[in-house]
Amino acid sequence: MPSEVRAADAGGARDGAPGIRAGSTAPSSTAPSPASTAPSRLELAVDALIDEHAADAEQLLTELVAVPSVNPKQPGVNGDQYAGGETRANELLAEWLGRTAMETHWVEQEAGRANLVAIRRGGGGGRSLALNGHIDTVAPQQGRFADPFKAERIGRTLFGLGATDMKAGHAAMWLALQAIERAGATLAGDVHVHSVVGEETMSHEAGTTAVLNAGYRTDAALIPEPTSSPSALFNLSNTAPGNYLFSVTVRGKSTHWASRNLAIRAGGGGDEVGVNAIDKAVYIYNAMRQLEEQWAFTKKHPQFAPGSFIIHPGVLHADIGVAAAPYFPDRARFDYLLSFPPGETSEQIRAEVEAHLNGAAALDPWLRQHPLEFEWIDTWPPAYTDPQSEFARVALEARNETVAALGVESLAAPVPAGAQSDASFYEAQGIPAIVCGPGDLLVAHAADEAVNLDMIPVAAKMMARVALRWCA
């Protein structure tokens, strides 16, 4: 479906190629390191305004959690039940951002799933910045509270679906931008908010990539995905592994279960009697495990610990079409999710996996005659922004300054992310992207998803500093 771009009447939306400066390019990775600076008077004023309005950001988060913006393409989800929820959440966010004098635009690649683009226009001549957050959530689970869409508080912890992943990031974006506006700051470059759909199912074509292809490109992107945990607050990441979701199906030959001795013992008919697909699947599983063990030595990246890249078997299903033990199952299917390092492509990984398993299958007489069936379902390219690039260093300095008040140690360099994000799709279009946010990755996608409310103003101060310095 061709992309539809809708410009809102309110907020002074402009026609033409939106949000991109002519001749704009990503900053060079060889740019000189920005000098370490003390916070300016303006930055301190913005910090004070963030603290003053932190309770408003908590209210925004509460309202966002109340909107069921479950990704309708989540496995096991009734898509009709949640149709339009992502759009409604973005409409709520647009209302709040409108209070900061930002113009709003809409990009709707898939009907009923509208991405929000809000822009604070700069004076011209400066670099632009996108603050990106996905508004969709995973499916609700039964946790300690009856209603996953009602924000519940215990002390300074707010529980609710999407609270940590990643509506707290949206609240921090709003908090940073309203403080910049109230402080009367003048920026040379534009600041965008890209609040997108589809991230939880790797549907970037409907979300972040649709926004970029519609012309809303920037010189850099900061993504406040959850990178905090009680032991490591505000990790700042420039890289993440790629992943690939795929299945391998093994075919067998069904017969009565009591014929197993004839199928596998000397003197029986062997494959002519029957072939249990589970037996053949175990053979293929072992071959895959062998490949994974090789990867511990062959898949390397200087920012990742040895053995970081894995081939995870998540589902095994075998039967004859119904779950019935008295038969030889004639099909077995593994669903796998693997990770791979920056510098390699999804196409290379696919070819390597197929070559290894087909090589193993060729040694088995049955599998040689009944080839493995692969289904390559979804892939996420690796993320990588040069950690020595100017944008990475601006973001790292802002992070280190703002977390110092928490007693958190400075990072000497960015670290790998614990999960994939839409950073990959900015980087795929030559836009450097950094991930750092207030949510706790350890409780993302959990039944009792929660966020520490005190992390929201910290994230907002970091984002505000990045905007003030990058777009100045």
Side-chain angles (χ1 to χ4, degrees), residues 200-222:
E200 292 292 1
T201 54
M202 307 186 197
S203 306
H204 67 98
E205 299 92 344
T208 290
T209 295
V211 167
L212 295 174
N213 288 347
Y216 297 98
R217 293 173 55 84
T218 56
D219 293 308
L222 180 61

Side-chain angles (χ1 to χ4, degrees), residues 64 69-72 85-91 93-94 97 105-110 112-118 130-138 165-167 169-170 173 192-214 216 221-225 380 421-423 425-426:
L64 285 173
S69 57
V70 175
N71 186 313
E86 295 159 310
T87 298
R88 289 192 295 275
N90 272 336
E91 288 171 344
L93 181 61
L97 288 169
H105 305 260
W106 300 91
V107 178
E108 192 166 344
Q109 178 73 18
E110 292 186 9
R113 307 182 73 192
N115 300 285
L116 168 65
V117 177
L131 304 176
N132 171 286
H134 66 86
I135 201 65
D136 60 318
T137 73
V138 295
D165 187 19
M166 58 168 297
K167 293 177 178 180
H170 289 85
M173 292 181 212
H192 292 209
V193 169
H194 296 171
S195 183
V196 299
V197 306
E199 192 269 356
E200 292 292 1
T201 54
M202 307 186 197
S203 306
H204 67 98
E205 299 92 344
T208 290
T209 295
V211 167
L212 295 174
N213 288 347
Y216 297 98
L222 180 61
I223 302 175
E225 281 269 21
W380 207 304
S421 76
D422 277 349
F425 306 112
Y426 286 92

Side-chain angles (χ1 to χ4, degrees), residues 249-266:
T249 297
V250 180
R251 296 294 175 177
K253 181 179 179 180
S254 185
T255 190
H256 193 284
W257 71 276
S259 298
R260 182 167 176 80
N261 63 319
L262 300 176
I264 68 170
R265 306 293 186 204

